[in-house]
Amino acid sequence: KIIYCDIFFSINEIESFTKKNDIILYDHYAHLLIHSILHINGYDHKNSIEHNKMKTEEIKILKKFNISNPYLY
């Protein structure tokens, strides 16, 4: 199945969030991108079970890029 989508980011919002929370810009951007791609591929967080599945997958993928768990902030 081929899925087409658009993903938009606001660099102003990303920069603001990273400065306010003392997070590396690249790490947060990567997290947002991975989160978005997981949504495109059917992941969701409407309930705690789905949320935990998605969160676990995000953490696993981010770890491959040496990015720490974003849910620890």
Side-chain angles (χ1 to χ4, degrees), residues 31-47:
H31 178 220
L32 292 173
L33 183 60
I34 289 165
H35 186 90
S36 299
I37 292 169
L38 288 174
H39 272 301
I40 292 164
N41 284 282
Y43 284 80
D44 212 329
H45 41 79
K46 292 181 181 179
N47 60 51

Side-chain angles (χ1 to χ4, degrees), residues 31 34-35 38-39 41-61 71:
H31 178 220
I34 289 165
H35 186 90
L38 288 174
H39 272 301
N41 284 282
Y43 284 80
D44 212 329
H45 41 79
K46 292 181 181 179
N47 60 51
S48 62
I49 293 170
E50 290 179 12
H51 173 76
N52 286 332
K53 283 182 187 178
M54 187 169 186
K55 186 168 82 168
T56 299
E57 194 64 24
E58 287 173 357
I59 293 166
K60 185 172 88 177
I61 294 168
Y71 294 100

Side-chain angles (χ1 to χ4, degrees), residues 30-31 34 58-68 70:
H31 178 220
I34 289 165
E58 287 173 357
I59 293 166
K60 185 172 88 177
I61 294 168
L62 288 167
K63 188 175 183 177
K64 292 179 181 184
F65 294 97
N66 293 318
I67 298 172
S68 61

